[in-house]
């Protein structure tokens, strides 16, 4: 597979065309705006929490295929999880996009998110993949705006 | 302005002067279309740097030894060639800077601080690069002055219909870009300068995108300041030039102080050296100034009329070919007379960043993003565009590769329709 196809796997392209949970939320528990000054991509992330469980998560974004698909995949990955699980997933995901897949337990627990492993070969695009996760963390930690810089 | 004297350049022959154009990127021959960001360097420029470091590297001024005198002569000769290139009346009116940005900042700090008063207006345009906007925001807020903008028409040119209401007795400075790095628009520098001078305002022209690409004559335009970068005109990075009228430079305080820029120093005070050195504190960028001189020699040998003519033809060809891709919006004036070799474009379904990565896989270098013109991007209703920008070594075949690449990207990312 060439690097381009590894970056833009079919699942990525498909999530870009039809992002999941791509909507404004009316009464979120918390929200955060993410901004990538490098390319101008923006995201607004909305979350509903029940105690420490993420019961709903959605986003609105203007950005590239990687940032949109990553956000879409993220919403699927964290819905129904606890806040701690979501934060831990971010750690593993960050490792995946900076160091690549390692074929171990971490990869398995990331599920569909591993399709973004190809980002590693494109250092300028790593922040595209992590923007939505920064916004997620911002929302959980009460930061209204976060930047990837 | 087509000069009758313009002659067609032998592009294939001159490409051989640029070693980097031989490069293969991701398995494909490099198609370099990011010239508004920085240009490639001919062998003569590269060689001038090697020659300096191998043969007469020494600190300049006040050295009595041979190498120091040679280095001094070479950098001053380069200054003279840069001055001649923009038809500055004397070399002392050309100050070495690091880049266009530094030149604009010298004007803001040395001239702006001493001349902008509370209530004054600084007039500029909506298409400025951040480097000719942010310094004026800073000075305006510091001095209690305000910024005003000449509006933009839908075609990407300035709307001059209400100019007399914008450039008024209150205008202290008119600062505008001669050519836009985002839209390609070439602004009527002479006309704007005349308007500003008629109300007693001072004029700063950002020449970063004009001096490298067309004949620019400061005496003809009549501007008070012109700032530009060496690296955007085949020269090295880290060197640029600021032209200013002598009377203005004489009335300005230096921006940086220290060695090389003083006449006499006691423990209590110092007096300033003559122009241009008053504005060149510390050891200057000797090597790169010589490299910028070599770049000017190269461009002068091609003839700036011919450079402009080639770029106009390439741009016209690109605009024509872009018409085939209906899904893509192209910004900026349609008339090639009114635009430089810059084509910014946008498509709803393919983000510029994805397009940039896709094209890079085919060896095609374009810039994607806001091009340091964030306010303009929001005016255009986009967060970013992709931008192809041309120079004298670009060919129609390279435009074809770009257009094919864009079509490929639309198929790849689009809804599988195209
Ligand atoms: C119109 C314009 N002005 C100023 C600049 C700043 O040039 P530099 O970064 O070399 O200072 C640029 C560079 O992109 C430009 O395009």
């Amino acid at each position: 597979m060439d690097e381009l196809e590894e970056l833009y796997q079919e699942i990525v392209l498909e999530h870009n065309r039809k992002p999941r949970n791509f909507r404004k939320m009316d009464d979120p528990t918390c929200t955060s705006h993410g901004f990538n000054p490098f390319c101008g991509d923006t995201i607004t992330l909305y979350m509903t929490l029940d105690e420490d469980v993420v019961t709903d998560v959605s986003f609105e974004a203007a950005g590239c295929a990687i940032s949109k698909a990553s956000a879409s995949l993220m919403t699927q990955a964290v819905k129904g999880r606890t806040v701690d699980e979501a934060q831990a997933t971010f750690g593993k995901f960050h490792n995946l996009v900076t160091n690549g897949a390692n074929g171990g337990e971490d990869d398995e627990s990331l599920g569909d998110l591993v399709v973004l492993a190809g980002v590693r070969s494109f250092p300028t695009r790593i922040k595209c993949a992590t923007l939505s996760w920064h916004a997620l963390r911002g929302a959980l930690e009460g930061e209204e705006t976060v930047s990837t810089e | 302005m087509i000069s009758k004297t313009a002659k067609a350049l032998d592009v294939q022959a001159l490409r051989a002067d640029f070693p980097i154009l031989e490069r293969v990127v991701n398995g494909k021959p490099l198609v370099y279309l990011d010239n508004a960001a920085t240009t490639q360097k001919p062998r003569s420029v590269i060689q001038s740097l090697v020659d300096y470091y191998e043969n007469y590297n020494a600190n300049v001024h006040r050295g009595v030894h041979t190498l120091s005198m040679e280095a001094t002569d070479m950098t001053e000769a380069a200054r003279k060639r840069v001055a001649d290139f923009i038809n500055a009346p004397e070399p002392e009116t050309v100050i070495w800077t690091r880049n266009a940005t530094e030149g604009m900042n010298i004007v803001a700090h040395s001239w702006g601080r001493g001349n902008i008063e509370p209530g004054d207006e600084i007039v500029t345009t909506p298409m400025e690069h951040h480097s000719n906007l942010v310094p004026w925001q800073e000075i305006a807020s510091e001095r209690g002055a305000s910024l005003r903008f000449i509006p933009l028409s839908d075609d990407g040119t300035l709307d001059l219909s209400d100019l007399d209401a914008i450039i008024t007795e209150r205008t202290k400075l008119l600062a505008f870009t001669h050519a836009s790095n985002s839209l390609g628009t070439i602004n009527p520098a002479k006309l704007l300068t005349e308007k500003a001078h008629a109300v007693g305002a001072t004029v700063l022209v950002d020449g970063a995108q004009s001096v490298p690409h067309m004949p620019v004559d400061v005496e003809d335009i009549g501007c008070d300041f012109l700032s530009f970068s060496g690296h955007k005109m085949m020269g090295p990075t880290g060197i640029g030039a600021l032209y200013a009228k002598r009377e203005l430079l004489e009335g300005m305080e230096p921006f940086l102080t220290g060695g090389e820029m003083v006449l006499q120093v006691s423990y209590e005070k110092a007096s300033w050296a003559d122009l241009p050195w008053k504005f060149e504190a510390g050891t200057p960028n000797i090597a790169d100034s010589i490299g910028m001189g070599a770049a000017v020699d190269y461009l002068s040998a091609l003839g700036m009329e011919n450079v402009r003519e080639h770029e106009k033809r390439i741009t016209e060809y690109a605009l024509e070919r872009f018409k085939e891709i209906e899904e893509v919006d192209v910004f900026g004036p349609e008339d090639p007379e009114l635009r430089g070799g810059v084509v910014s474009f946008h498509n709803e379904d393919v983000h510029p960043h994805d397009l940039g990565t896709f094209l890079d896989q085919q060896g095609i270098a374009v810039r994607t993003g806001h091009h340091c013109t964030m306010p303009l991007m929001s005016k255009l209703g986009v967060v970013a565009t992709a931008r192809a920008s041309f120079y004298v070594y670009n060919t129609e075949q390279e435009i074809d590769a770009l257009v094919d690449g864009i079509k490929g990207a639309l198929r790849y990312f689009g809804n599988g329709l195209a």
Side-chain angles (χ1 to χ4, degrees), chain A residues 24 26 37 40-41 43 48 65 71 74 87 96 100-101 127 134 143:
Chain A
K24 191 171 161 58
D26 283 337
D41 287 358
I43 182 171
T48 304
M74 178 201 73
Q87 294 268 27
L96 174 85
K127 284 172 176 161
H134 283 285
E143 284 179 59

Side-chain angles (χ1 to χ4, degrees), chain B residues 36 99-101 104 129 131 177 179 181 206 208-209 229 231-232:
Chain B
N99 46 37
T101 303
M104 252 88 78
H129 189 275
S131 64
T177 191
N181 66 315
D206 173 356
Q209 297 296 349
S229 290
H231 71 95
K232 292 186 195 285

Side-chain angles (χ1 to χ4, degrees), chain A residues 8 17 39 41 63-65 125, chain B residues 351 353-354 357 361 412-414:
Chain A
Y8 295 111
R17 287 179 201 130
C39 56
D41 287 358
C64 65
R125 310 300 302 275
Chain B
H351 191 275
H353 241 109
D354 297 315
T357 295
Q361 288 300 304
Y412 191 85
F413 293 103

